[in-house]
Amino acid sequence: MRNRERAGELLAEELRLAGLRSAFLAQMSHELRTPLNGILGYTRNLLLGGGLAEKQIAGLNIIQDSGEHLLFLINGILDHAAIEADKFELTYGEIRLEEFLSTLIGIIRVKAEEKNISFTCDVDAALPAVVRGDMQRLRQVLLNLLSNAVKFTDHGEVMLRVRSDGPSRIRFEVKDTGIGIDPEQMERIFLPFEQVGEKNRRSGGNGLGLSISRKLVQLMGGDIKVESQLGRGSIFSIEIDIEPLKSDGSEIDVKALSEQSITRTVCDASQ
């Protein structure tokens, strides 16, 4: 009986400390983000003001890029703290899927072209044109998965597939022909502050991307699943709850989205 009481006390203390850690991280993230936003704001104003020498512009661009990267890291810590403290809420609104996917494609196509790999998008014509969901957080999840796919792929392609999975479910798949994941590391990829794979590919993050993405997807009523073969690539898939909304009768132009995703590679340019 005494052991059971002690175990309960230890669990309560662990939960209390976890809450304190999350509260501390959230407070510190806010404190750091406030002056950083001021720095970024003044940097943008200086760049827009004109009358600067080329060397000054180059320096300000470095400040801006570094500040935005630091803000990205801080926002990740803030999201993690909010989720761990059970204080994170989704913000639902209207999502026009064609516009939403077009924005994603535009961002990832540029990243793929920089690495000279192919990027394609395959969208189900049966999808509703307008749905209800948290557009910002869904974009955050998909950008994380797609950016990772590009980062860990040196040859071949990255593909985004979007499918209807029933009247109130939507499925996204991110497939790549990259380096794949070691089976021994598979369970660690969703742990906070964990980064797996080659060290030279880990730069630019804090190991929170996949951890936060999984928790966001779970809040949306789904989960992230992964299939991978070392040296042959990976498939990350998510299924989430959606609420189809009435639209003006328009449908998603899947052909236009597919054509937009076509990348310009060195091989293409030589043909």
Side-chain angles (χ1 to χ4, degrees), residues 21-23 25-27 29-30 75-89 137 212 215 219:
R21 284 195 298 269
S22 296
L25 286 173
Q27 182 62 35
S29 296
H30 278 299
N75 284 338
I77 294 172
L78 185 61
D79 283 347
H80 173 73
I83 291 171
E84 289 299 308
D86 248 350
K87 294 182 179 179
F88 192 93
E89 294 183 1
R137 296 306 180 178
I212 292 173
K215 289 173 181 176
L219 287 174

Side-chain angles (χ1 to χ4, degrees), residues 105-126:
I105 290 169
I107 294 170
I108 299 303
R109 186 183 63 190
V110 172
K111 292 178 180 288
E113 288 177 347
E114 288 175 349
K115 292 197 66 176
N116 197 38
I117 60 176
S118 172
F119 173 58
T120 56
C121 184
D122 180 16
V123 181
D124 187 354

